[in-house]
Structure formats: C-alpha cells, structure tokens
Amino acid sequence: MRRKRLNHYADVVCKMFVGWRMGDDMEALSDLPDGTISINLLTGDAVHSEVGLLDLHIAKEIQAWLQQQGAKEGVDIEKLKSATLEVDVDTNKVATNKKKVLLFSFSCRSNLKTDTATYQGALTDEYHWYTRIIT
C-alpha cells in the first residue's frame, strides 16, 4: 500500500466531514443529541453513540471518494483491514435557540489500518454555524 496516499486520505476524510458537502446532513444532525458518530469508511455505514444507525449522505460520499481515489491512484482500498472516522459532535458550547440556529463543534479522528501500519488524521472545527430550516 502507498504510505503517502493513505496518510493523505486519513487527513482528507476529516476535512470532508466538517465541510465538503456536509450541508445535506445538517438538518438531520440538528435533531440528534450530542455524541459520537462512527463511520465505517469501507461500507458507508454511520452509527450515533446515543441514537444508533444513521442515514448520512456524507458517509456514502466519503466512502465513494475513498474508493474513487484509491482506484485512480493505484491504492487497493479493499486491502485495508479497517477504515473508520469518529466524530464527536457538540452543540452546547454556545447557547442558542436550537430551534433556529446551532453552532456545531466537530472533533474528527480517522484511522486507516493495513496489515503493517495505521494511518491517522484529526481535525477540530469549532465554528460551523447552521441556520435551521423553518417549515
């Protein structure tokens, strides 16, 4: 496996969760209690520590991106033993009217494991504001 590419992938998946195409899932995340979201990057499955199984668009997006990049760059993603992204979600750092607006604090940790090494990434985003959709 290509070490530099796997290091890159570990960093990018964290960045993707906190910003890239995240808008599709913000309303769903707004309804969740604070907790940890665990994503299996090989299957696209997401589980919340308090709620259980989630249907998150971003989980499938990251899975597809990882598969596509691996194929494009000659990295056999199928040979990974595991690939996970854990995200601590906290909406209580700043008091808001949660029916209208939230401040998300994301703390992401990724792990891509091969037979011989683990590649890790981490990112914290403290300023991700979201204005709720009023229906």
Side-chain angles (χ1 to χ4, degrees):
M1 307 236 27
R2 297 175 57 196
R3 184 180 65 82
K4 286 185 180 182
R5 296 318 307 157
L6 291 173
N7 274 330
H8 173 69
Y9 298 164
D11 289 335
V12 170
V13 297
C14 292
K15 292 176 184 175
M16 289 174 73
F17 188 91
V18 300
W20 188 69
R21 297 186 187 180
M22 191 60 204
D24 292 339
D25 291 317
M26 295 305 287
E27 190 61 27
L29 292 176
S30 296
D31 289 330
L32 296 175
D34 292 344
T36 301
I37 298 171
S38 300
I39 300 173
N40 180 328
L41 300 175
L42 300 177
T43 64
D45 295 329
V47 177
H48 188 276
S49 58
E50 301 295 320
V51 176
L53 193 61
L54 298 175
D55 182 21
L56 293 180
H57 180 76
I58 192 66
K60 298 294 185 190
E61 285 286 325
I62 295 172
Q63 175 202 20
W65 176 86
L66 189 60
Q67 294 292 332
Q68 177 190 21
Q69 286 301 113
K72 182 172 118 180
E73 297 173 342
V75 177
D76 188 355
I77 299 302
E78 300 300 320
K79 289 188 177 179
L80 288 174
K81 295 296 179 193
S82 66
T84 60
L85 176 63
E86 289 192 348
V87 183
D88 297 328
V89 180
D90 184 351
T91 59
N92 291 312
K93 289 195 176 198
V94 174
T96 63
N97 178 349
K98 291 186 178 186
K99 291 180 181 179
K100 295 182 180 180
V101 66
L102 288 99
L103 173 79
F104 285 96
S105 175
F106 295 124
S107 180
C108 303
R109 298 164 308 283
S110 64
N111 284 287
L112 282 66
K113 293 182 183 182
T114 68
D115 286 335
T116 58
T118 299
Y119 303 91
Q120 299 177 322
L123 179 65
T124 299
D125 184 354
E126 295 284 338
Y127 306 102
H128 201 107
W129 287 95
Y130 175 67
T131 303
R132 303 273 322 250
I133 298 169
I134 309 229
T135 56

